[in-house]
Amino acid sequence: MSPAAPASARAATTYDELLALARAGALGPDPAGSRISVAFTTRQAVRHEGRGTGYRNEVLSLRLAEAVGSCAVEPGALPDSAVEDCVGADVARLLEHPLLPVRVAALDAYLMHVTPHAPENGARPVALPAGTSLEKSRARAEAVAGLLVLPPGATVLVVGVVNSLLEALRSRGLGYVPCDLKGGVTEWGEPVVTDALAAAGRCDALLVSGMTLGNGSFEPLREHALRHGKQLVMFAQTGSAVLPRFLGHGVSAVCAEPYPFFWLDGGPGTVHRYRADRPGGTR
C-alpha cells in the first residue's frame, strides 16, 4: 500500500487547490512518473424491473497501477479521442488536459493510488448484497441516505436524480427537491429543477452526486454548504477518492463507490463511507 500523504499536503480546501497540490507532487509520488496503463469508457442504459423510466450512464475510467479513477459524463459528450489521449500518458499531463472529465478521472486515479479506501484512511466499508439491479440500487441508496442526520420533515436538495435515493429519503420522512441538468420529472411525476444553487437556499441539506466534479458545479455547492452550515453528503462514483479530501471543508460525509460500480454486476459489492466527525475522516 502506498503511504498516506503528509499532513501538510492535506490542507487543500478547494478543488483547484487540491489539483495544484497533486500537480506539484505534494500529495505523493511525482505524477510525471506515474503512467496510466489502461483507459476505457463504460456505457450502459438501465430500466429497473417495475420502474417506468430509465437512464443512461457513460463513465471514463483510468487505471494507475492497482487503482482505477473515474469521471461520469453526459452520454455522448466525451470525444472518442479522449481514451487515446489518456492511455500510456503520465498523470501530470492528464492533470492539465483540456477536458475537465479527464482531469477529474486522472486526479481520482492518482489519489486512489496514494490513499486507497481503507479504515486507516477514514473509510468504513458497507457491504452491498448480491441481487437484481433494483435491489442493489436500493441497498446503495440506504448506505447513502444513512449519512444524513436530519429530523423528519427536513428538505434535502438531491443533485443527480436517482429514484432509489428519493425512495430512501421518503422512507425517513424527509422531503426533497430533485435537481438534474437534464430536467424532466421523477419516476413519480415530480418536476426536476435544473438550477441547484437557486434551489439550495430553500433546502436544509444537500445530497449531491460526484458528477458535479465533472461538470464544474461542485465548488459552488460546497461553498454554499460551508457558508450556511448545511450538511453536504456526496455519493461518489465520480471522484470517490477525491471527495473525501473535502471532509470538514463543506463536505460532511461521502459514500465512495470506486469502479466496478453496483450496476455492473449482480454479485456482492462494497461502498465506503466517510464522515467528517470520525477520527481520520478529515484526512
Side-chain angles (χ1 to χ4, degrees):
M1 180 181 297
S2 300
S8 60
R10 301 175 190 174
T13 59
T14 71
Y15 176 79
D16 285 344
E17 288 175 0
L18 184 64
L19 187 64
L21 287 171
R23 286 171 173 164
L27 303 179
D30 183 357
S34 303
R35 292 192 174 273
I36 298 300
S37 58
V38 181
F40 59 99
T41 58
T42 306
R43 299 177 183 178
Q44 65 109 356
V46 60
R47 179 172 293 180
H48 299 304
E49 185 176 356
R51 288 269 172 86
T53 59
Y55 58 91
R56 293 177 58 208
N57 282 320
E58 184 171 343
V59 184
L60 171 68
S61 297
L62 307 179
R63 181 165 181 173
L64 173 63
E66 78 298 336
V68 176
S70 298
C71 182
V73 298
E74 290 299 323
L78 194 69
D80 291 338
S81 60
V83 169
E84 294 300 325
D85 285 348
C86 295
V87 68
D90 64 75
V91 172
R93 182 165 73 83
L94 296 183
L95 292 177
E96 298 182 351
H97 195 278
L99 294 176
L100 176 57
V102 171
R103 298 197 299 272
V104 171
L107 181 61
D108 193 33
Y110 181 75
L111 295 180
M112 190 87 69
H113 177 60
V114 171
T115 44
H117 299 301
E120 58 266 31
N121 293 325
R124 295 295 181 267
V126 177
L128 300 184
T132 68
S133 62
L134 181 55
E135 288 168 343
K136 292 194 73 174
S137 177
R138 284 172 168 162
R140 197 277 297 253
E142 286 297 316
V144 173
L147 289 168
L148 286 164
V149 182
L150 292 168
T155 301
V156 181
L157 176 66
V158 182
V159 181
V161 173
V162 178
N163 288 317
S164 293
L165 279 178
L166 304 185
E167 284 183 330
L169 295 177
R170 282 206 305 271
S171 73
R172 288 165 167 76
L174 298 173
Y176 54 78
V177 176
C179 179
D180 199 287
L181 289 176
K182 294 185 290 293
V185 296
T186 69
E187 175 76 13
W188 304 277
E190 302 153 326
V192 176
V193 304
T194 57
D195 189 333
L197 273 181
R202 55 191 170 103
C203 296
D204 302 299
L206 288 67
L207 185 60
V208 177
S209 167
M211 280 189 72
T212 53
L213 281 172
N215 63 29
S217 60
F218 166 70
E219 272 296 310
L221 293 169
R222 184 193 65 80
E223 291 172 358
H224 174 89
L226 190 62
R227 187 181 314 115
H228 297 282
K230 296 179 181 179
Q231 293 176 58
L232 170 56
V233 172
M234 304 295 304
F235 54 102
Q237 293 176 345
T238 293
S240 77
V242 175
L243 290 163
R245 297 277 177 158
F246 301 106
L247 290 164
H249 300 290
V251 174
S252 54
V254 178
C255 185
E257 185 181 1
Y259 194 94
F261 312 126
F262 79 87
W263 37 265
L264 284 167
D265 179 65
T270 305
V271 295
H272 306 271
R273 303 204 306 181
Y274 295 79
R275 292 183 185 272
D277 56 358
R278 175 175 292 147
T282 56
R283 296 231 273 168

